Amino acid sequence: MDVKFIQTKVGALLQGDKVIWLVIGLLAIFSVLTVYSSAEALALRTGVDTESFLVKHIVLLCAAMLLIYICHMVNYVKYGRLSVIFLVIAVPLLVYTQLLGETLNQATRWIKIPFIGVTFQTSDFAKIALIMYTARTLSLMQSKKVALGELIIPVLLVCGLIAPSDLSSALILFFTCVLLMFIGRVEMRNVFSLMMLGVGAFAILIMLSEFFPDSIRVGTWISRLRDFWLGTTGDQFQVEQAQMAIAQGGFLGVGPGNAQQAHFLPHSYSDYIFCVIVEEYGTVGAMVIIGLYITLLLRCIRLVTRSPKAFGAMLALGLCFSLVIQAFVHMAVNVNLLPVTGLTLPFVSMGGTSLLFTGISLGIILSVSKYIETSVGEGSKTNDANQVALDS
């Protein structure tokens, strides 16, 4: 069969930035290989076959790939129109999670979907909703007067509702919104005001923890910082096992499926999966993973340079910031540069809704890429078209 014909068919099927598609495919391959290695320890603890976890992960990964494809086919302008609705849905879900959510590992982050019994992490949905809304509001501020409170209040509200049970995710989301404000040419005094209000909201959370110690995990934050700075007991066991895994990996690693420390790391399939990658594939494998996330970031920055004021460009960059910052925080924790956070490696770690919502984020990024490239090819003015669609 003609190679050019196959390339044409694949190009028509997978539209948008082909480099981002390649990054997604390589991350998926790493995910399957590493989850199979790291899930063996989980299988031994639960008495379930490793293949069962692998099959479940592959099914979720395929579902995430399907979501990527569906989301990348949708015109990204529609996400701007839906952002307010999504945000209105996200806030009550976060409140419900804090009050009546499922608790796992001393954190209340999930709600159980009725009738099907599947748990759903509401913060994953809220993060995408807030980034959509922030990108839309910043885009509107380029051409008309928009009250600053319309941007600052939702950011503080959503991040404040996520923080009690998942401070690290809330901080990444808050920092992402601050970066978007900076890129969106918001006055620095307003950006600084948001940061100061964020510090104030964090102080309020600490004070409220005296009355709601089970809901606001201040004790966990303090113990993790103490363990990190002083090297005391607690999380030090998994930190030590992670360091041993990295040391054993060396330059080329011990080979796929040969990781030993994965059997001792409590969460090697999620929070510490980067250590398993380093042990099996060495420094070379680590550099490949780092390179993939950097490539994703650079390709999204390219969208901004081609369409600097577009809603879509800020949307793609905001979602990309969220994923890439989380990836580097995860890797920094694994090499003991940051305290334990519990963050997964996006699109690599074994997970449920987090994997699916990462797929949605990547699909939206590809949607932006597809329509920006199409409009540039047609010689149209992308920014004006986006603004008219948002205002309509």
Side-chain angles (χ1 to χ4, degrees):
M1 187 176 291
D2 189 4
V3 175
K4 186 174 289 187
F5 174 78
I6 295 176
Q7 291 177 341
T8 303
K9 287 294 184 180
V10 172
L13 184 65
L14 306 178
Q15 301 178 40
D17 195 313
K18 301 302 185 292
V19 175
I20 295 179
W21 277 111
L22 178 61
V23 168
I24 293 171
L26 292 174
L27 287 176
I29 292 172
F30 265 103
S31 179
V32 172
L33 294 175
T34 314
V35 164
Y36 182 68
S37 299
S38 58
E40 185 175 346
L42 181 62
L44 291 174
R45 289 198 297 268
T46 59
V48 180
D49 292 337
T50 305
E51 287 74 15
S52 299
F53 290 106
L54 180 63
V55 169
K56 179 182 177 182
H57 180 68
I58 291 176
V59 170
L60 286 169
L61 195 60
C62 290
M65 295 295 289
L66 179 61
L67 286 172
I68 291 174
Y69 183 78
I70 293 172
C71 291
H72 107 286
M73 293 301 295
V74 177
N75 190 321
Y76 71 88
V77 172
K78 294 181 180 179
Y79 296 118
R81 296 169 180 167
L82 292 171
S83 62
V84 177
I85 298 174
F86 288 162
L87 191 65
V88 170
I89 295 173
V91 171
L93 282 177
L94 289 173
V95 174
Y96 178 84
T97 303
Q98 289 298 322
L99 297 176
L100 302 170
E102 297 285 322
T103 301
L104 182 64
N105 295 329
Q106 299 179 337
T108 307
R109 304 175 185 174
W110 297 265
I111 59 174
K112 185 173 288 187
I113 301 175
F115 307 113
I116 61 177
V118 177
T119 55
F120 163 62
Q121 191 163 333
T122 53
S123 60
D124 290 328
F125 173 72
K127 285 187 284 187
I128 294 179
L130 181 61
I131 291 172
M132 282 183 185
Y133 177 83
T134 301
R136 175 186 181 274
T137 304
L138 289 171
S139 180
L140 291 175
M141 290 174 69
Q142 305 297 317
S143 60
K144 66 179 185 180
K145 187 72 173 179
V146 177
L148 190 63
E150 293 183 28
L151 178 60
I152 289 180
I153 293 175
V155 171
L156 293 174
L157 181 61
V158 172
C159 292
L161 288 172
I162 295 174
S165 58
D166 193 356
L167 179 63
S168 51
S169 292
L171 290 175
I172 290 175
L173 181 59
F174 183 80
F175 186 59
T176 298
C177 293
V178 170
L179 284 175
L180 284 180
M181 289 178 66
F182 180 77
I183 294 169
R185 301 176 184 177
V186 174
E187 293 183 11
M188 287 304 300
R189 61 186 179 89
N190 293 328
V191 177
F192 183 75
S193 297
L194 174 60
M195 295 175 67
M196 290 299 99
L197 287 171
V199 172
F202 182 67
I204 292 173
L205 278 179
I206 293 177
M207 289 188 291
L208 289 175
S209 67
E210 295 291 331
F211 305 97
F212 306 100
D214 295 332
S215 299
I216 304 176
R217 306 173 68 210
V218 173
T220 302
W221 307 341
I222 294 174
S223 64
R224 287 180 172 178
L225 286 172
R226 184 177 60 248
D227 293 339
F228 177 71
W229 287 112
L230 303 179
T232 56
T233 58
D235 290 319
Q236 279 304 106
F237 173 76
Q238 56 186 357
V239 170
E240 291 171 358
Q241 297 301 319
Q243 291 174 334
M244 291 173 64
I246 293 171
Q248 291 182 11
F251 186 70
L252 295 176
V254 298
N258 296 323
Q260 296 300 317
Q261 296 307 124
H263 301 300
F264 303 101
L265 277 166
H267 301 286
S268 58
Y269 49 88
S270 56
D271 300 356
Y272 278 88
I273 200 167
F274 182 68
C275 289
V276 181
I277 294 173
V278 177
E279 184 177 3
E280 293 192 342
Y281 303 97
T283 304
V284 174
M287 294 306 295
V288 170
I289 291 292
I290 293 171
L292 290 175
Y293 286 110
I294 290 177
T295 300
L296 175 63
L297 178 62
L298 292 177
R299 299 304 290 187
C300 289
I301 291 175
R302 178 173 172 265
L303 298 179
V304 178
T305 60
R306 300 181 72 186
S307 185
K309 296 182 181 179
F311 155 73
M314 284 189 285
L315 173 63
L317 197 57
L319 293 171
C320 180
F321 277 147
S322 179
L323 295 176
V324 173
I325 293 173
Q326 178 177 331
F328 278 95
V329 170
H330 171 96
M331 289 184 276
V333 169
N334 278 228
V335 298
N336 201 29
L337 291 177
L338 288 176
V340 175
T341 60
L343 290 174
T344 57
L345 188 61
F347 216 68
V348 177
S349 295
M350 185 171 71
T353 55
S354 62
L355 189 61
L356 299 179
F357 279 105
T358 299
I360 292 173
S361 297
L362 292 169
I364 295 172
I365 291 171
L366 285 165
S367 172
V368 174
S369 169
K370 180 182 70 171
Y371 282 95
I372 284 182
E373 288 183 1
T374 301
S375 62
V376 169
E378 294 172 352
S380 61
K381 296 182 179 179
T382 307
N383 294 344
D384 294 341
N386 290 345
Q387 197 62 56
V388 169
L390 285 168
D391 291 341
S392 62

